[in-house]
Amino acid sequence: GHITFEKILGSFSGITSDGNIRGNIVELNGALTAKTGDGNISIRLPRNLGLDLDIKGESLGVPLDNFSGTSEERSIHGKTHGGGIPVSLSASDGRITVVYE
């Protein structure tokens, strides 16, 4: 099924085998994990966070501001703003979109 969340403060972990994951995080100070086998992931995050990115999907829409690492068509592995908070997003057969607000 689908997972939807709003106004998360802290960390988040959500896994589904056949559904979309979408929501917004107001303050991220712990790990963010979202995985789906057959669905899309759409997450809104605060701007300018130090993140350790591990992202894999069929297609990616992830801005890479102040980024160091590797970015390929279907995967991103590296750090934004010096790194710090682990972010693991995986959509085996879907699109991953991240928006910074």
Side-chain angles (χ1 to χ4, degrees), residues 46-83:
R47 287 192 180 280
N48 302 322
L49 291 177
L51 304 175
D52 294 337
L53 301 177
D54 182 14
I55 300 174
K56 297 176 189 129
E58 187 68 24
S59 67
L60 306 176
V62 181
L64 297 176
D65 300 334
N66 197 4
F67 177 77
S68 63
T70 59
S71 173
E72 299 175 359
E73 184 179 353
R74 295 184 178 168
S75 69
I76 297 170
H77 187 75
K79 299 177 184 297
T80 63
H81 300 282

Side-chain angles (χ1 to χ4, degrees), residues 1-6 8 12-25 32-44 56 88-99:
H2 301 298
I3 298 172
T4 303
F5 58 91
E6 299 236 2
I8 296 291
F12 176 83
S13 180
I15 299 171
T16 183
S17 61
D18 188 18
N20 296 326
I21 301 173
R22 67 178 305 139
N24 71 314
I25 296 177
L32 167 61
T33 303
K35 296 182 183 188
T36 181
D38 188 16
N40 300 314
I41 297 173
S42 178
I43 299 195
R44 295 181 177 275
K56 297 176 189 129
S88 177
L89 308 175
S90 176
S92 299
D93 192 21
R95 177 163 178 78
I96 297 176
T97 305
V98 174
V99 175

